[in-house]
Amino acid sequence: MNPMDTLIWLVNFPVSHGYAMVFIAGFSILGLFAMSARGTAPGGRLRSIREREGLLAPGARPQGEILRRLVRIVFRVLAFVMLGSLVLGILGLTGVPVTRSYIYENGRPTTATIDGDWVTFTTAEGVEYTLENNFFTPSVHPGGYTSIPSTGNVVVRYLPSHPQAYVIDGSQQPR
């Protein structure tokens, strides 16, 4: 399995679902960054009040401090992943071929049928895939927003190790 194909396959999800990723990431980033801030873990505020009032024994080790740090790190990592997804979603919405160029150059061509927003094709191994071709971020390359029929046959290129990452070949479509 090619590591670059795997990376493109992972990055292709937020790019090909740009509209949804902008809203999901946009609404979740603030909450994730807030949860990753110091003092937001459960019990942190209560401990600071107890320290201020002198209710804790001097030199008492904070219980669960390692868990609170781990929770903050996890939420911080998730926040940065969502920030990256937001950027990739915006690039997908604006038509920047973040992953489509790589898939077009390294993909295996095959014939597919389009039925509305769904593309159905069979890989060389004989496995049939029915995948979404999102209206807001269509998977067409080259030409980004080349007009493709809403029903009928088209040529797609897919990554052999990850067929879920595909593009519709805009150079071989009926004009």
Side-chain angles (χ1 to χ4, degrees):
M1 198 176 281
N2 185 350
M4 188 64 178
D5 284 359
T6 303
L7 178 66
I8 293 296
W9 171 64
L10 289 171
V11 170
N12 191 52
F13 185 82
V15 171
S16 63
H17 296 86
Y19 193 72
M21 288 311 300
V22 167
F23 281 100
I24 292 169
F27 287 114
S28 65
I29 281 178
L30 292 176
L32 290 171
F33 274 123
M35 288 300 294
S36 69
R38 185 173 205 91
T40 57
R45 179 94 172 138
L46 180 60
R47 177 162 179 79
S48 65
I49 292 171
R50 286 180 178 161
E51 285 175 350
R52 184 180 64 219
E53 298 296 324
L55 298 174
L56 289 178
R61 295 189 66 207
Q63 295 178 346
E65 184 62 32
I66 294 173
L67 182 61
R68 280 191 282 270
R69 284 184 183 173
L70 183 64
V71 167
R72 284 195 308 264
I73 290 170
V74 167
F75 277 113
R76 197 164 293 150
V77 168
L78 286 174
F80 282 111
V81 166
M82 284 311 233
L83 183 63
S85 295
L86 175 69
V87 169
L88 290 171
I90 290 171
L91 290 174
L93 280 173
T94 57
V96 177
V98 177
T99 58
R100 290 185 295 217
S101 299
Y102 181 85
I103 297 169
Y104 181 81
E105 293 297 323
N106 298 301
R108 185 179 293 167
T110 189
T111 304
T113 57
I114 291 185
D115 185 20
D117 288 339
W118 299 94
V119 176
T120 303
F121 62 91
T122 304
T123 63
E125 290 78 25
V127 180
E128 183 177 275
Y129 288 89
T130 301
L131 302 169
E132 183 181 17
N133 185 31
N134 196 313
F135 173 77
F136 295 105
T137 51
S139 299
V140 180
H141 190 78
Y145 291 100
T146 303
S147 177
I148 56 171
S150 61
T151 58
N153 291 334
V154 293
V155 176
V156 299
R157 293 177 181 260
Y158 65 93
L159 293 178
S161 57
H162 299 286
Q164 301 87 355
Y166 75 96
V167 293
I168 298 171
D169 191 343
S171 64
Q172 297 187 29
Q173 304 308 320
R175 305 267 174 188

